Amino acid sequence: MKIGVHPNNLHLRLARLWPGAFVDLQPIFISYAEGRDTAALLESGDIDLGGTGSTPPIEADMRGLGVEYVAASAPRPANGAVFVRRGSPIGSVAELKGRRISLIDGSFHTYLLARSLEGEGLSLPDVERVESGARDSLADLLEGRVDAWVAMSPRLEKALERDDVRLIVRCGAAIPNRSLFWTLERNGLSAEEIRSIVSELSRIGVEITADPRAAARLLASGDRGGSGDHGRTDIDAWEKVVRSRDFTVFPIDDEIIAEQQEEADTLLRHGHFSKPIVLKRPETTR
């Protein structure tokens, strides 16, 4: 089985490094740049399974690709936030109107921003979205090229320790922010393969939680910055990230599909999507 791994899905990053992971599926781990590439790689057959935030599979369904959800993480309320400069006049989400906001558009960043704005009677067209890609937008924020920055782990934890930026909203106040593990119906994963994937993701999650220091060492060793004199600092930083999240994994159920449907409907209201979609319930996905 070809399992896609990108930098922002820590569960699969760790699975690639974890002893004995997915051994019954004869895994081949395929590295790629970012979660928004997952649908194209599944469509081309370059990978059989990917893991992303909540938004990319909805984007794929909007393209008619026929997403099949496999598993979901527990909610991760700490893994996303919106920051402004410490001295910014912006004191709340309501004051983001007309402002430039750096984010990875089409990821969970878009949904976090939409729900946060909606709570203040605003919508996505009321702000200017500035695509950050893989670039660290902290410098853009500090130097005034953008007014706000949607951040996620591991940059988020580092930003929280700084005194020149200020947090105005956290994921948990707006969205569940789960990781979703998914494929396309056309790839034809068997029920046995899906059960095996869920079981392995769950097992690895339990072991990560039991030994976060070991997980941090693996992440640091696989990180270009995790060597040399900064090795211990990087391990400490990664351990903080690992401890901040719940690595529990569940099979897909009606509650998770309902969350995805709510996101699809929200992004339609905000004009991010041009047409409605009705997501399939778990019992009809095969």
Side-chain angles (χ1 to χ4, degrees):
M1 177 170 291
K2 293 172 287 186
I3 300 173
V5 181
H6 64 87
N8 291 326
N9 191 286
L10 295 190
H11 208 120
L12 290 178
R13 278 180 69 174
L14 282 164
R16 180 179 59 186
L17 303 168
W18 212 257
F22 295 100
V23 64
D24 291 343
L25 295 172
Q26 299 180 308
I28 300 171
F29 291 99
I30 308 294
S31 296
Y32 60 103
E34 61 163 285
R36 292 177 299 180
D37 298 331
T38 304
L41 293 169
L42 287 167
E43 185 179 16
S44 66
D46 290 322
I47 63 174
D48 302 310
L49 175 76
T52 67
S54 58
T55 310
I58 301 173
E59 297 268 5
D61 256 336
M62 285 289 174
R63 290 174 49 203
L65 295 184
V67 167
E68 181 166 21
Y69 290 96
V70 173
S73 77
R76 290 173 173 169
N79 185 35
V82 181
F83 290 91
V84 297
R85 291 183 297 281
R86 171 63 64 184
S88 170
I90 299 170
S92 68
V93 172
E95 295 171 338
L96 290 176
K97 185 174 182 178
R99 303 288 190 163
R100 289 169 55 83
I101 303 172
S102 176
L103 77 167
I104 301 175
D105 212 5
S107 74
F108 83 87
H109 293 192
T110 306
Y111 187 39
L112 171 59
L113 182 59
R115 286 294 299 270
S116 299
L117 291 168
E118 195 167 74
E120 300 293 339
L122 301 173
S123 64
L124 288 175
D126 289 319
V127 301
E128 181 180 349
R129 288 178 276 174
V130 178
E131 172 61 42
S132 68
R135 186 178 71 256
D136 186 345
S137 292
L138 177 61
D140 292 338
L141 179 64
L142 294 177
E143 294 169 15
R145 289 186 290 275
V146 296
D147 302 297
W149 167 41
V150 183
M152 62 183 170
S153 295
R155 291 169 178 161
L156 184 153
E157 285 77 14
K158 294 178 181 179
L160 288 170
E161 295 175 352
R162 301 179 66 96
D163 60 8
D164 50 2
V165 295
R166 178 163 42 84
L167 176 74
I168 61 170
V169 69
R170 199 76 181 257
C171 257
I175 64 172
N177 194 30
R178 299 180 191 268
S179 286
L180 279 299
F181 304 92
W182 52 287
T183 184
L184 301 181
E185 292 175 344
R186 68 183 70 178
N187 290 338
L189 295 190
S190 69
E192 182 180 352
E193 286 174 319
I194 288 176
R195 283 193 297 270
S196 182
I197 291 166
V198 175
S199 176
E200 272 297 88
L201 289 170
S202 179
R203 178 187 70 82
I204 292 164
V206 169
E207 293 181 6
I208 291 168
T209 301
D211 195 348
R213 189 70 176 178
R217 288 193 189 97
L218 289 173
L219 288 167
S221 70
D223 190 348
R224 291 179 182 177
S227 59
D229 293 339
H230 299 291
R232 181 173 294 278
T233 300
D234 291 335
I235 293 170
D236 291 343
W238 274 121
E239 184 174 1
K240 187 177 294 185
V241 172
V242 172
R243 288 184 181 276
S244 74
R245 66 176 56 194
D246 187 340
F247 281 89
T248 305
V249 169
F250 308 97
I252 292 300
D253 60 17
D254 282 349
E255 178 184 355
I256 293 163
I257 296 299
E259 288 178 2
Q260 292 295 98
Q261 185 67 62
E262 182 178 358
E263 177 172 349
D265 295 344
T266 298
L267 293 177
L268 176 66
R269 286 196 304 273
H270 284 253
H272 182 75
F273 293 139
S274 60
K275 60 183 180 181
I277 186 171
V278 178
L279 301 184
K280 295 180 181 178
R281 315 307 280 185
E283 63 270 18
T284 62
T285 57
R286 299 201 63 76

